[in-house]
Amino acid sequence: MKAFVLGASILALAIPLSVAAQDKAPEPPLWAFPVTQPVGPPSKVVDQKLPGSSVKLSEEALKDRTTAVDWFPKAHPAMPPAVKGGRSDVFACGYCHLPNGNGRAENADLAGMPLAYLTQQLADFRSGARTLMDSHFGPAGNMIITAGQTSEADGVEAFKYFSKLPYVSHVKVVETADVPKTTPNGFLYEFNKGGQREPLGQRIIEGPDDFERFEMRDPRMTFTAYVPVGAIARGKALAKGDGSARPACEGCHGVGLRGGIVGPPIAGRFPTGAFRQFYAFKIGSRNGPGAAFMKPIVANLSERDMIDLAAYVGSLPSSAQKAKPSRPN
Ligand code: HEC
Ligand code: HEC
């Protein structure tokens, strides 16, 4: 209960942070910020197990954002204090980004990101160089508050941990004209059961393949991102650059976008996450030293260009994968 009260006050505190970003046009589209209240795990999961895990967790433990939910303690090294949690007034990094650093579509995957990049991002959140890009987006507001409560030293310990974990992409990018009907839930989309579909239009609709397991914070959860037909090929062409103002993405993000000297590895990461970051650079809510490289890149990209690039980036195998495993649609 305590964690929820804390969460509500954090959300309220976070809203004024967005003012600076909102003063500037263009506004990011609302579909990229599914507006909802955070939801808890369904009560029927109390003391139930995940497939393959011998851990049992109470509903209370699943809801407690000050402690990482750890279904598979042997599947990763020991977590440093900030990741594992334990302070009654601070959220645990591992609660949102998960103990394996695989993250979720409404936050970010930190596994396999370079130590220096992650450390700089935390500094940017703490200094206000990275602000909230949309006042509806509670998780990012909570990230900013948590960053303010985390010392640089604790951040470095957390990032030494996350940067060494392999990042295995767990999102499947599917091109389609229509999508299963969805309900915005937990700041992403829940795919409704029942087979009804609706036109996708110019959007990316991303959500977990099993919402209950998602809410149980299953670190092995897979996601699907539905993107417009032709988006991946168009994104691939855009990624080659335009020969002048917009250099090729690989020039900085490395071969296969698996990380370069300047740019972090982005291959296989969440398409809605990439899309939101393009907007953050565009509207100036992401303003740290590294953002100077991305601002000219996004300056002349349309919303559709950003959808296509995000689809392409997400469709690539990550650095810990040779190819993306195929899963049924
Ligand atoms: C309430 C959930 C939540 C918690 C707890 C949380 N984060 Fe985050 N984190 C997010 C969200 C959401 C984002 C994406 C923010 C955005 O897009 O602006 C993010 C982004 C980040 C990024 C930027 C990643 C990138 O590729 O740009 C870093 C670094 C980070 N978090 C580190 C941490 C650390 C360290 C902790 C613990 C001290 C932590 N986070 C705790 C939700 C959370
Ligand atoms: C001139 C170098 C450069 C080029 C070219 C470049 N990027 Fe970046 N990119 C960066 C840097 C540096 C960052 C980290 C920004 C920061 O620290 O805020 C970044 C960040 C990003 C992020 C956010 C990653 C995260 O985890 O938050 C995405 C997504 C991204 N770039 C995609 C692209 C795409 C797609 C292209 C090609 C259209 C591209 N970039 C071209 C240098 C570059």
Side-chain angles (χ1 to χ4, degrees):
M1 197 57 219
K2 201 170 173 189
F4 273 140
V5 174
L6 184 67
S9 60
I10 279 173
L11 208 59
L13 275 174
I15 286 167
L17 294 173
S18 68
V19 171
Q22 283 194 341
D23 283 346
K24 297 176 189 163
E27 295 238 337
L30 210 53
W31 60 254
F33 303 90
V35 179
T36 42
Q37 290 304 310
V39 288
S43 53
K44 69 177 185 184
V45 304
V46 176
D47 283 351
Q48 287 207 352
K49 297 181 192 171
L50 275 186
S53 167
S54 56
V55 173
K56 277 188 181 180
L57 289 168
S58 67
E59 186 177 0
E60 189 84 339
L62 288 173
K63 284 179 177 170
D64 175 9
R65 289 189 262 181
T66 66
T67 307
V69 169
D70 194 4
W71 290 105
F72 300 102
K74 290 186 185 144
H76 56 77
M79 292 182 273
V83 178
K84 187 176 175 148
R87 274 171 64 185
S88 63
D89 55 342
V90 184
F91 290 169
C93 321
Y95 187 79
C96 292
H97 296 291
L98 305 184
N100 65 359
N102 258 357
R104 317 203 305 167
E106 86 284 14
N107 51 64
D109 23 33
L110 306 184
M113 284 279 185
L115 177 62
Y117 170 75
L118 292 174
T119 308
Q120 183 62 51
Q121 298 312 307
L122 185 67
D124 292 350
F125 283 122
R126 284 164 57 84
S127 72
R130 256 184 101 159
T131 57
L132 195 62
M133 72 189 96
D134 187 287
S135 59
H136 300 101
F137 207 54
N142 285 339
M143 174 64 228
I144 291 165
I145 305 288
T146 306
Q149 297 168 316
T150 305
S151 69
E152 193 186 327
D154 283 346
V156 167
E157 284 311 305
F159 298 143
K160 280 186 189 159
Y161 173 82
F162 283 126
S163 61
K164 284 188 198 130
L165 297 173
Y167 179 64
V168 177
S169 177
H170 50 139
V171 60
K172 182 176 184 186
V173 181
V174 176
E175 293 191 352
T176 180
D178 57 40
V179 287
K181 283 205 168 187
T182 51
T183 309
N185 208 350
F187 298 100
L188 39 58
Y189 290 96
E190 176 175 5
F191 300 121
N192 296 352
K193 299 187 174 96
Q196 284 185 309
R197 297 183 79 88
E198 65 182 18
L200 174 62
Q202 306 292 307
R203 298 182 295 171
I204 301 171
I205 295 294
E206 189 169 31
D209 293 325
D210 182 324
F211 202 81
E212 257 180 38
R213 277 175 52 200
F214 166 77
E215 276 308 291
M216 287 169 78
R217 315 196 85 75
D218 181 351
R220 299 174 179 181
M221 193 66 252
T222 55
F223 293 75
T224 300
Y226 292 102
V227 301
V229 175
I232 296 173
R234 273 197 293 273
K236 185 176 182 178
L238 283 166
K240 291 199 166 82
D242 64 3
S244 58
R246 186 164 43 78
C249 311
E250 283 197 340
C252 292
H253 290 282
V255 175
L257 306 184
R258 292 163 171 228
I261 292 168
V262 181
I266 51 175
R269 294 177 191 260
F270 295 111
T272 51
F275 182 86
R276 284 191 292 268
Q277 297 314 318
F278 294 145
Y279 258 101
F281 295 120
K282 206 170 172 100
I283 68 177
S285 75
R286 194 166 164 176
N287 251 329
F293 292 96
M294 280 303 289
K295 285 182 181 186
I297 307 280
V298 296
N300 295 316
L301 295 178
S302 68
E303 185 174 320
R304 178 59 203 258
D305 293 341
M306 292 189 274
I307 289 175
D308 296 343
L309 280 165
Y312 171 60
V313 167
S315 76
L316 295 170
S318 64
S319 38
Q321 288 171 308
K322 282 200 170 64
K324 283 210 135 183
S326 62
R327 284 191 280 118
N329 280 353

